[in-house]
Every structure is written in C-alpha cells, then in structure tokens.
Amino acid sequence: MNTVEQLTTVEMMEAETAKLKQIACDACAETWEDRVKTQTPHCKFGEEGICCKNCSMGPCRITSKAPRGICGADAHAIAARNYLRTIAAGTSAHSDHAREILHVLLSTSRDGNYQVRDEVKLVRLATEWGIATEGRDIYDIAHEVAETGLEEFGKSHGTLRFLKRAIPERQKVWADLGIEPRAIDREIATSLHMTHMGNTADADALIIQGLRTALSNGWGGSMLGTEITDILFGTPQVWTTEGNLGVLEADMVNVVVHGHDPAFSEMVVTATEIKELVDYAKSKGAKGINVVGLCCTANEVAMRHGVRMAGNFLQQENVILTGAVEMMCVDVQCIFPALAQLSECFHTKFVTSSPIARIPGSIYVEFKPETAFDQAKDLVKMAVENYDKRDRVKMYIPPTKQTATVGYPCEQIVKHLDGVTNSHVEELGSYRPAVDAIKSGVLRGAVGIVGCNNPRVRPDYSHFEILKELLANDILVVATGCAAQLATKAGLLSMEAKWQCGAGLRRVCDLVGIPPILHMGACVDISRILLLVNGIARDWGVDTTALPIVGCAPEWMSEKAVSIANYVVSSGIDVYLGIEPQIKGSSQMMELVTDGTRKLTGAGYIINTDPHMLVKSILDGIETKRAALGI
Ligand code: SF4
Ligand code: MSK
C-alpha cells in the first residue's frame, strides 16, 4: 500500500536540493536560488504590467501622479497590450515548434533519418483534411500532409482546419465572437501590429485578439505539433518508468535531453542504444549509457520509449550539480542560459542544437534532419569520451526516485475505457464510461493540472498539495508538462497512488486499470486535453462550459502558459491559476480575465496564490457545475 509516508514529499525534495546547493557553494557556482535573492523585490511596474516600452518616447510607467504614458495610453491599454504580446510570444513558441516538426515530416523517407511510425494516424489525418490516400505511397501522403500543415501558418484565406474538431456549440461561440483564428502567423502578426505604438488602446479589443491568438495555438500550432509528432515518432503508449534525480547512474555515462522538440531527443535516445556506442562506453569503464529526460522533453521520450525522467523545470541546475552528467543536450524552450556557466564548474558538456535557442558558452551543434542520426551518434560518442573526466569526489546523486506509469493520450484513455464498457453502453471508442462515472458521482469531476514550477511560490508545493486534495475528493486528474513531472517525483503517477484517492476514484482506477493521474504528455500536448474535454462534452451532449471539468496551473511561469490559459478559457473551460498574471495595475484587465471572458466564452480565470484556497475553489467550482447539471 502506498501511504502518505511512501510519497516523496516536498520537504524531502527540498532536503536533496539543499545538499546539491552545498555542492554549488563549494564549487562557487551560482543557482536560481541566488538569483531570486538578487532580483527581489521585483519591479512593481513590471509585476503589475503597467510599464510600456513600445516606443522610444518611453519607457512610460503608470502611477497615480502619471496616469498616462506620453502618447496618452492609460494603465488598461498598457497592461492589455503587454498581455497580448505575452500571448503572441507563447503562441509563437508552440507553433514554431510545430513548424519544425512539420519540416521533419517533409524530410521523411524509407531510408532517411526520419520515418513515419504511426501510419494509421497519418492516414486518418490525411482523410480529415481531404487528402487522397487510396493507392498512394505512405511517404507521398506524409509529404502532402506536411505541406498542408505548413499552409496553416500563412494561408491567405479561411480559418484553421482543426477548429472543426471542436463541438458545434464551441464553433458557434467562436464564430459569433469573430475569434476563429485565420493563419497562425497572421494572428501573431496581428497581435504585434495591434500593440505597436499608436494602435489599439481598448483593453476589450486586445483581450478578444488574445483569445483568437491563443486559439491559433491550442487548435492550431500545439495540435499540429502533437499530431505530427505522433505520426513521426509513434502515438504514446503506456509505460512504467521512474522519475527524480535517482535515475542518474553512478557507473554509467549519463546523457540528459532537455527542452521540447522531440526531433532532436528521439535521435539522441536512439543513438544511446547503438551497440557500438554502448560497447565504447564499456571500453571506457562505464556499465553502459543512461539517457534521461528533463522538463517536457522528458515527457516526450518517457511516453514513447519509457525513458526515465530526471525532473522538472527548476531541477535543471540540480541535474548538473550532481556532477554525474557527461552531457546535457538541449533543443528549445525553458532552458536556463545559466546552464552553460554552471556546466563549466563540472565536467558536463552542455550542447545546444537549435538556432532558436543559442546560448553563449555552450557547444553548438546545429541539428539538421538530413544529418540527424550521425550528429546524434557523434554527440553520444563525445559524452562517452567525457566519462573519465568525472570528478567522483564531487559527485552526489540523490537516491530518491519513484515509479511512474505514463503515456495516456486520448487513444489510450479510450482504449482503457473500452476495456470496462458496461453492458448498457453499446458504443465502443467513446468516453461514455467516464461520463457515467461522473454523472453517478463515483467521480465528482476531472481537472487538468498543467504548467511549470516557479520560485514566486514554494516550488512544487502547490502542485503537491492540490494534487493530493483532488485525489482525496474523487477528482480524476490529467497532467502534462512540469506538473506531471512533480507528480512523478512525488510518486503520484504510480498505480499505487490509488491509495491517496477517495473510494470512488480508487474504484475507477481498479476497474479501468489506470493510475489516478493520467500523464498526457508535454506542454504542447495540452491540445490532447482539449480533444479529451470536447470528446466528453460530445458524449454527454452539453457544451464544455457545463462540464465539471476545469484546468489548473498552480505554478505557471512561461509566456506559453499564458497562451495556453487563454485557449483553454476560449474553449469554455475555467482556469485556476496559482500565480497572478502581470496585469494587476489595471482593474479593467483583472475584471476582463476573470468575469469578462466568462461573458464571452463561458469561462474565465480564478486566481489564488494560496494552494489550499485554490483547491477549495476548484472543488466548489466543480460542485457548482454538478448542481447546475442536476447531478
Ligand atoms: Fe509611452 Fe505610449 Fe510610447 Fe508606450 S507607446 S512607451 S505609453 S509613449
Ligand atoms: S517545460 S513551459 S516549465 S511546463 Fe514544457 Fe515545464 Fe512550463 Fe517549460
């Protein structure tokens, strides 16, 4: 039985971090904890979103004595413009990631570096897009799908193809509001144009464009990223794996993959399995090569290969501080530039691979689809050759790790539900058993826990407290990103975590054979959650706003997270935030993101920095929705 005592608590995680912090001090190395101190207190104008530097007459800062910038923009205009720019940046990150993946699909061939691993999904998508499949070579289809996907970024007319995947009620809301996104790049460009000096100063209009731009991420860039990644590398399967720093091995060559774009990490993982390189590692005195993941790359490779996960966002420096990492290979997003300097205090080789994330002090190897496998092999060889440089006196690998069951895309959830379809549920391939469990009250509802960790609150603590409370109250949880990594570290992704659950959720876990927290992937895979919620709404026969299902980002930090929160709200799902958005200097903006969007899309933010209060409001919100449904 997995009792509370068998979980890895945040206090235990902090104790290990403290030991590693001592190693950093001994090596005169700086970490994020030091930089938080030097950056505190933060700039109040930045925190409240009321500093504008959109032209060189400024920067202008709003105070009671100076209520308008030089051009006359007030706090509401400035906060709203900054907020829209944040959404545009977040949308660009996920979407550009998808664009890269589409180019990889375009490069596929039978004898090339990349092949199509999920042909069924490819044909399904081609059919959805009206692309001929009958009698055609699978690679011809793949290339046409890639070209069609790439058109979604810059097409001159129409709206995004994936919008049609939403339930009709949602599509109508978007059409009535005029927020159906056109081309992805167009929404990003329009956002930047609207916020250029001398354009929109109306917070309402800026929020509306924010919703539209965010939709071009959720139902555009992110969904493309997820679909095409599945086609290329396989739709995730259920794996049992492990997580936390204890997955590093003292007597093996440790290679860490970190970032988001799996095109790079997939090749590195494959290269670490080559016999020739494993033998080479053995010839250097190691027992083999141990590849582990970090942040969202960890989620990607865990779901497709069972690769073990070293930790989440704020653990990236700890990984290097173990002194046991021969190489850290990064691609894009959420990578601390500090890693380059920190690696120099140890023997770790820090390798950047993308023109999108260039970091001074790193070894830069620009990764290209045509040469990907050879490049990955060269890097792994370099890591092996670094093994004997490890200073074992400095080395400390915290022993803590937990078992995790990962890999629940919608396809796996439906498959598991099919396995328990009751006799009164005729149709297979639906979410009806989940709908029935919620209707009957066996499950009270479901929550998507997503996002990063953040030193603005006690890192990982909010996730941990909220997750435990939700499970105890019979709420099924789906998780992505660094939130899923915290659940992994804590032991909450294990099958045994059912012992943390109320009786109803435990029964469902036993019956369906699932853990109470379903790992759905990386932050780009929140598009899977959109499809899941829409599927449940369709099977229930109600709009998404009516469902006792909400999203929660207790410790979010990135611009991507703001874009995600807005596409989730646009999709009719309430979002509970544990970190305040940087708009507090505008009362109008605070009203718009909480109640204003609710009048438009049926959903909005609920913000509380106290995790116990936040989880209470989630439970209250779910019960209110249940009451409105009469269940
Ligand atoms: Fe100041 Fe207006 Fe220029 Fe912003 S756009 S910096 S508020 S003058
Ligand atoms: S990696 S965006 S810290 S989830 Fe996706 Fe984690 Fe947040 Fe990055």
Side-chain angles (χ1 to χ4, degrees):
M1 181 185 292
N2 186 342
T3 60
V4 174
E5 292 75 43
Q6 284 166 302
L7 294 178
T8 302
T9 62
V10 174
E11 288 73 19
M12 291 155 82
M13 294 174 204
E14 288 169 341
E16 294 297 7
T17 296
K19 287 184 201 159
L20 292 166
K21 183 67 194 136
Q22 187 55 51
I23 293 175
C25 291
D26 295 345
C28 295
E30 176 196 271
T31 64
W32 63 261
E33 289 92 337
D34 304 308
R35 295 187 295 271
V36 166
K37 285 186 196 137
T38 54
Q39 286 295 336
T40 306
H42 293 280
C43 165
K44 182 176 161 294
F45 297 100
E47 261 181 350
E48 300 196 346
I50 47 174
C51 171
C52 178
K53 56 181 182 61
N54 291 9
C55 87
S56 73
M57 292 192 285
C60 298
R61 301 179 306 176
I62 301 302
T63 65
S64 54
K65 287 197 185 122
R68 289 181 183 270
I70 291 167
C71 66
D74 63 10
H76 312 303
I78 291 174
R81 292 193 311 208
N82 289 338
Y83 187 71
L84 177 53
R85 285 191 166 215
T86 302
I87 294 171
T91 301
S92 77
H94 274 150
S95 303
D96 212 34
H97 163 170
R99 191 193 328 251
E100 293 297 322
I101 291 286
L102 280 156
H103 279 291
V104 174
L105 184 64
L106 202 52
S107 80
T108 52
S109 64
R110 261 184 197 85
D111 53 0
N113 278 279
Y114 294 97
Q115 280 89 37
V116 168
R117 297 237 178 96
D118 191 336
E119 294 186 7
V120 173
K121 196 156 192 167
L122 171 66
V123 170
R124 201 185 309 136
L125 181 59
T127 308
E128 179 182 337
W129 284 354
I131 293 168
T133 57
E134 202 61 36
R136 288 183 76 188
D137 183 88
I138 201 75
Y139 285 94
D140 285 346
I141 300 170
H143 300 156
E144 191 172 342
V145 163
E147 291 287 9
T148 308
L150 286 165
E151 281 169 15
E152 292 294 273
F153 289 81
K155 62 189 181 189
S156 311
H157 303 286
T159 55
L160 294 183
R161 290 168 178 269
F162 281 147
L163 300 183
K164 298 220 164 19
R165 289 182 164 192
I167 52 171
E169 294 90 329
R170 272 297 104 188
Q171 293 186 48
K172 182 170 183 321
V173 169
W174 299 334
D176 290 349
L177 287 173
I179 60 168
E180 294 163 301
R182 300 154 293 181
I184 299 163
D185 288 350
R186 177 163 184 191
E187 298 311 344
I188 296 165
T190 297
S191 298
L192 294 179
H193 188 184
M194 282 177 79
T195 55
H196 185 276
M197 192 273 155
N199 283 331
T200 301
D202 175 1
D204 289 275
L206 292 160
I207 277 282
I208 296 264
Q209 177 59 18
L211 298 174
R212 187 183 217 180
T213 306
L215 280 172
S216 79
N217 178 1
W219 296 86
S222 279
M223 202 167 280
L224 279 167
T226 298
E227 289 280 322
I228 305 301
T229 300
D230 285 356
I231 288 168
L232 275 169
F233 304 118
T235 301
Q237 309 274 337
V238 176
W239 292 85
T240 300
T241 182
E242 291 177 327
N244 211 347
L245 292 171
V247 302
L248 294 169
E249 298 291 347
D251 49 9
M252 294 177 87
V253 174
N254 288 306
V255 177
V256 181
V257 286
H258 171 21
H260 285 79
D261 180 346
F264 179 42
S265 49
E266 280 279 331
M267 280 295 163
V268 175
V269 169
T270 308
T272 60
E273 289 162 356
I274 295 171
K275 184 170 181 311
E276 173 198 330
L277 285 168
V278 174
D279 289 346
Y280 189 45
K282 288 180 181 165
S283 77
K284 297 281 177 191
K287 284 195 174 148
I289 306 169
N290 179 41
V291 63
V292 300
L294 195 67
C295 278
C296 277
T297 289
N299 294 315
E300 297 277 5
V301 291
M303 292 205 302
R304 294 195 178 85
H305 302 278
V307 167
R308 299 183 299 167
M309 302 177 277
N312 52 4
F313 177 61
L314 286 178
Q315 198 142 303
Q316 56 186 294
E317 290 177 307
N318 285 3
V319 173
I320 306 254
L321 288 171
T322 62
V325 174
E326 274 57 56
M327 181 175 282
M328 183 182 281
C329 301
V330 303
D331 48 81
V332 292
Q333 301 166 17
C334 302
I335 298 146
F336 278 3
L339 293 178
Q341 207 181 359
L342 187 62
S343 298
E344 283 170 13
C345 300
F346 297 84
H347 75 304
T348 307
K349 291 201 182 293
F350 176 56
V351 179
T352 49
S353 63
S354 167
I356 300 293
R358 297 292 305 266
I359 297 176
S362 65
I363 300 165
Y364 180 56
V365 178
E366 187 172 330
F367 210 61
K368 296 192 187 311
E370 318 80 66
T371 47
F373 192 45
D374 285 339
Q375 287 178 298
K377 282 194 291 189
D378 288 347
L379 287 174
V380 174
K381 188 160 176 269
M382 194 195 297
V384 170
E385 285 165 353
N386 200 23
Y387 181 67
D388 60 11
K389 313 273 184 332
R390 194 189 289 182
D391 180 350
R392 287 177 180 272
V393 178
K394 274 194 202 168
M395 187 175 86
Y396 171 67
I397 301 176
T400 322
K401 61 183 174 185
Q402 286 277 5
T403 301
T405 304
V406 301
Y408 290 94
C410 297
E411 291 86 342
Q412 282 295 330
I413 294 174
V414 165
K415 190 172 145 195
H416 278 74
L417 290 174
D418 277 354
V420 292
T421 301
N422 300 319
S423 53
H424 68 283
V425 179
E426 310 271 289
E427 44 180 325
L428 292 178
S430 83
Y431 297 105
R432 290 285 309 166
V435 170
D436 289 347
I438 296 174
K439 278 187 181 171
S440 69
V442 174
L443 294 179
R444 304 304 295 175
V447 177
I449 299 272
V450 302
C452 328
N453 52 3
N454 188 332
R456 276 189 172 269
V457 291
R458 185 178 168 191
D460 290 334
Y461 178 74
S462 300
H463 281 128
F464 190 76
E465 293 298 301
I466 290 170
L467 284 169
K468 274 194 312 173
E469 194 67 17
L470 292 177
L471 299 190
N473 281 281
D474 292 324
I475 307 288
L476 181 72
V477 175
V478 298
T480 64
C482 290
Q485 298 279 333
L486 175 276
T488 303
K489 290 196 292 182
L492 288 167
L493 273 195
S494 111
M495 287 288 187
E496 291 305 300
K498 67 182 181 186
W499 297 108
Q500 308 295 328
C501 305
L505 178 55
R506 190 155 68 236
R507 237 172 77 208
V508 170
C509 291
D510 281 337
L511 201 62
V512 187
I514 52 170
I517 301 176
L518 299 177
H519 176 280
M520 291 192 84
C523 46
V524 77
D525 291 326
I526 296 170
S527 58
R528 297 190 201 274
I529 301 180
L530 290 181
L531 294 176
L532 174 69
V533 177
N534 269 263
I536 291 175
R538 186 174 288 126
D539 288 346
W540 197 309
V542 295
D543 191 5
T544 46
T545 49
L547 297 173
I549 298 179
V550 303
C552 176
E555 304 182 30
W556 69 273
M557 64 86 204
S558 73
E559 291 167 314
K560 288 181 292 176
V562 182
S563 177
I564 292 165
N566 277 277
Y567 74 61
V568 173
V569 162
S570 307
S571 302
I573 304 159
D574 280 331
V575 173
Y576 291 74
L577 297 178
I579 304 278
E580 290 168 325
Q582 292 170 335
I583 51 172
K584 265 198 322 188
S586 161
S587 54
Q588 187 186 354
M589 277 300 288
M590 287 303 285
E591 194 280 331
L592 277 170
V593 299
T594 49
D595 296 328
T597 53
R598 195 171 304 271
K599 287 175 202 135
L600 301 171
T601 70
Y605 291 169
I606 297 93
I607 306 165
N608 202 314
T609 53
D610 178 329
H612 301 108
M613 299 295 288
L614 190 65
V615 73
K616 185 178 178 313
S617 62
I618 292 174
L619 295 169
D620 290 348
I622 282 175
E623 290 306 323
T624 304
K625 298 234 176 194
R626 291 187 66 91
L629 282 163
I631 55 173

